[in-house]
Amino acid sequence: MSMVPDVADSSRPGDAPRERGAGAWERLVPSGRNACVVGLQFGDEGKGQIVDAITDRFDYVTRFNGGNNAGHSVRIGDQKFALHLIPSGILNPSAINVIGNGVVVDPEGILAEIDGLVSRGVAVGENLKISTRAHVVLPWHKTQDRLMELALHKSRGEQDTIGTTGRGIGPCYADKAQRSTAVRMGDLLHPDLLLRQLQGAASVKNVMLAALAAHLDEPFEPFEPRQLHETLLGQARRLAPHLCDTSALLRQAMREGRRVLFEGANAALLDVDHGTFPFVTSSNTTALGIHAGAGVPGGSVSDVLGVVKCYTSRVGGGPSATQFDDETANHLRKVGNEFGTTTGRPRRIGWLDLMAVRYAAQLNGCTGLVCTGLAVLSGLKTIRAATEYRLAGKVLTEFPYSADDLWRVEPGYAEFPGFEESISDCRRYEDLPEAARRFVREIARFVEVPVRAVCVGPAREQMLPVPAAG
Ligand code: GDP
Ligand code: IMO
Ligand code: MG
């Protein structure tokens, strides 16, 4: 049984009473057990909003991948929160928030995030647990991230750069696989071991990065391991109370029947194995990553909720088959406020790519979809969605493995009548114009997964559960 009361809690930041559409929980998490929320596109689908909508029914909210490259925005009343490393469940006073072993943690970044939340009245203490096995993002990872992007740009040009967030995510995961240059969060509690690790890693990093910087005509100041050691020990003093074996914590919680919500960061098409490689992030972003990234056994998740924005946005490099760049794209970017939560970069805009979404939903094993961004489409005469890919005249039956192919695919579009009226004030799915509901039905039909809710804006009360007969 869940320890979290079923009654709405109104003492949260932003104080707004929990105005969720009736039946949201029952529609989104029909099993009543553990669930996950994952993005089915290129990120920024609105995962934060969905986690927030159901978080008070869970005892634990757990991140299993990525780092502070993620930016999840949550709107509560007139307050907006941007979460990067800390699960969005932190805004629910009764949930324990877990940063799993599969996450990479920038100590400076997480401390700034904690301070920002505390300054706004959000309690962060016993309710935040960080895995001792999570890897530490160190200053040289950010330098390496920047220099590698510059090197790529220099050798292969704009189209081949990944356009990373610059947070050191890729180099940190690379060191995890490399092992000898890695540092884990638990190591911060062992000063002697930490110093030896930093000295060893710095001796390699300083040589490699100095050579790369010289090649690029960039300035480079070698890293001083003793100085870094001192800084990290200061940060460790503040982080120590949060560090523990989070895998053991979650396994025990699940044995006791507590409910766990897994919060995906980044999104399926950015998955390092299954996304549009090499234009991806460096972790398993899909539900496939939950077991390794949180240290929980297979079969731990009953409801897999895939979040789909009713159009496409992509930030950074890489192909997006349905991308277009005209007045309509500018309009969608503006109305959808499509500027990065983490970096502020304008996002590239495209029509909904159902070929990509169906692939992502199958990969994740989605049991339900939530469609966000429906209101952004208001006023368009015609709405388009890609339902076919052709490459060199041939219809593709599977999502292409190669980014080169994806740059070249010609999407075939289905067209749907648009809706003139603004729908952001709608509070019941049944009150949406028929054209909007038809578009939602088409998504469910094509992807072969039921749509459980639609969002007509980012606020809590703008999530509308879709009745079973929807
Ligand atoms: P996340 O990273 O998946 O949590 O999503 P972000 O919060 O980073 O980005 C969501 C983006 O979608 C923002 O730019 C929103 O302005 C835009 N957006 C458009 N319509 C909606 C909607 O109905 N709900 C939400 N949550 N975001 C929307
Ligand atoms: P959320 O959780 C959108 C993109 C970056 C870049 C690529 C690799 O908010 O949906 P990285 O810094 O991870 O090495 O960058 O991945 N990217 C995201 N784009 N939303 C995200 O997260 C992203 N996380 C990474 O823009 O193209
Ligand atoms: Mg985001």
Side-chain angles (χ1 to χ4, degrees), residues 42-48 69-73 83-84 266 309 315 339-342 347:
F42 297 104
D44 305 323
E45 296 88 355
K47 297 175 287 294
N69 51 354
H72 298 175
S73 48
L83 285 318
H84 298 283
N266 328 124
K309 196 152 56 182
V315 64
F339 298 89
T341 313
T342 299
R347 300 178 184 140

Side-chain angles (χ1 to χ4, degrees), residues 31-177:
S31 75
R33 299 178 56 202
N34 300 335
C36 71
V37 172
V38 288
L40 298 188
Q41 293 156 309
F42 297 104
D44 305 323
E45 296 88 355
K47 297 175 287 294
Q49 178 184 17
I50 314 310
V51 169
D52 176 64
I54 51 175
T55 178
D56 62 355
R57 298 295 188 115
F58 288 91
D59 305 293
Y60 291 81
V61 182
T62 300
R63 277 276 305 269
F64 57 91
N65 79 291
N68 58 357
N69 51 354
H72 298 175
S73 48
V74 176
R75 190 88 55 98
I76 304 178
D78 57 2
Q79 288 205 57
K80 194 175 161 192
F81 293 87
L83 285 318
H84 298 283
L85 263 163
I86 298 181
S88 305
I90 199 77
L91 303 175
N92 165 9
S94 53
I96 307 280
N97 294 273
V98 176
I99 295 180
N101 57 278
V103 176
V104 290
V105 180
D106 177 351
E108 192 186 337
I110 198 165
L111 287 171
E113 202 170 328
I114 292 172
D115 291 343
L117 285 167
V118 169
S119 74
R120 295 178 67 185
V122 180
V124 184
E126 293 275 301
N127 58 345
L128 177 66
K129 308 286 182 198
I130 305 171
S131 171
T132 43
R133 292 183 170 86
H135 281 250
V136 183
V137 178
L138 293 163
W140 48 63
H141 292 135
K142 292 179 238 181
T143 304
Q144 190 174 336
D145 200 355
R146 188 176 63 81
L147 293 177
M148 288 298 285
E149 283 281 276
L150 283 175
L152 204 54
H153 193 268
K154 187 174 172 183
S155 62
R156 292 168 58 175
E158 178 75 35
Q159 173 148 325
D160 280 344
T161 52
I162 297 170
T164 71
T165 57
R167 300 289 191 268
I169 306 298
C172 182
Y173 279 112
D175 278 345
K176 174 178 176 176

Side-chain angles (χ1 to χ4, degrees), residues 223-285:
F223 291 95
E224 221 315 308
R226 281 196 178 273
Q227 208 176 321
L228 182 54
H229 185 246
E230 205 179 300
T231 306
L232 284 169
L233 289 184
Q235 293 164 336
R237 272 190 287 279
R238 289 193 58 196
L239 292 172
H242 303 286
L243 294 178
C244 68
D245 182 340
T246 54
S247 163
L249 181 79
L250 290 172
R251 283 183 280 111
Q252 175 65 22
M254 290 193 297
R255 271 199 299 277
E256 290 169 3
R258 309 287 178 96
R259 288 188 195 125
V260 184
L261 176 61
F262 296 93
E263 175 176 353
N266 328 124
L269 298 167
L270 298 176
D271 185 284
V272 66
D273 284 296
H274 303 286
T276 58
F277 193 89
F279 303 99
V280 294
T281 189
S282 304
S283 62
N284 287 120
T285 57

Side-chain angles (χ1 to χ4, degrees), residues 193-459:
L193 166 72
L194 181 65
L195 183 60
R196 287 202 307 281
Q197 287 173 322
L198 292 173
Q199 284 169 331
S203 67
V204 175
K205 293 287 174 187
N206 281 338
V207 174
M208 280 174 41
L209 296 177
L212 190 54
H215 166 69
L216 295 165
D217 275 335
E218 287 287 311
F220 176 73
E221 203 51 55
F223 291 95
E224 221 315 308
R226 281 196 178 273
Q227 208 176 321
L228 182 54
H229 185 246
E230 205 179 300
T231 306
L232 284 169
L233 289 184
Q235 293 164 336
R237 272 190 287 279
R238 289 193 58 196
L239 292 172
H242 303 286
L243 294 178
C244 68
D245 182 340
T246 54
S247 163
L249 181 79
L250 290 172
R251 283 183 280 111
Q252 175 65 22
M254 290 193 297
R255 271 199 299 277
E256 290 169 3
R258 309 287 178 96
R259 288 188 195 125
V260 184
L261 176 61
F262 296 93
E263 175 176 353
N266 328 124
L269 298 167
L270 298 176
D271 185 284
V272 66
D273 284 296
H274 303 286
T276 58
F277 193 89
F279 303 99
V280 294
T281 189
S282 304
S283 62
N284 287 120
T285 57
T286 61
L288 302 175
I290 290 174
H291 306 107
V296 295
S300 298
V301 185
S302 304
D303 289 295
V304 179
L305 286 170
V307 189
V308 181
K309 196 152 56 182
C310 290
Y311 52 95
T312 302
S313 68
R314 180 162 200 173
V315 64
S320 166
T322 58
Q323 184 182 328
F324 62 100
D325 208 357
D326 62 8
E327 271 315 300
T328 305
N330 289 339
H331 166 79
L332 296 178
R333 184 179 298 110
K334 194 164 160 224
V335 178
N337 189 26
E338 293 296 351
F339 298 89
T341 313
T342 299
T343 57
R345 295 178 291 179
R347 300 178 184 140
R348 293 180 278 140
I349 299 295
W351 295 111
L352 177 62
D353 186 342
L354 284 174
M355 288 296 289
V357 169
R358 184 168 64 185
Y359 165 67
Q362 287 177 0
L363 200 59
N364 277 287
C366 285
T367 56
L369 304 179
V370 180
C371 295
T372 60
L374 190 60
V376 178
L377 301 177
S378 281
L380 298 184
K381 272 210 156 35
T382 305
I383 304 168
R384 306 175 88 193
T387 52
E388 186 181 89
Y389 278 177
R390 277 175 187 275
L391 186 65
K394 285 209 180 92
V395 175
L396 299 185
T397 50
E398 288 293 336
F399 194 77
Y401 109 98
S402 149
D404 263 5
D405 286 352
L406 261 181
W407 283 115
R408 293 184 298 125
V409 293
E410 293 161 29
Y413 289 101
E415 295 201 339
F416 304 91
F419 43 94
E420 276 302 316
E421 57 272 60
S422 161
I423 59 170
S424 44
D425 290 332
C426 272
R427 291 296 171 266
R428 290 185 339 143
Y429 179 77
E430 298 87 319
D431 296 339
L432 291 173
E434 168 53 20
R437 284 182 285 140
R438 179 178 165 193
F439 190 58
V440 172
R441 280 199 301 275
E442 190 53 33
I443 296 173
R445 193 193 63 76
F446 191 90
V447 180
E448 299 183 81
V449 178
V451 175
R452 305 254 183 224
V454 301
C455 297
V456 294

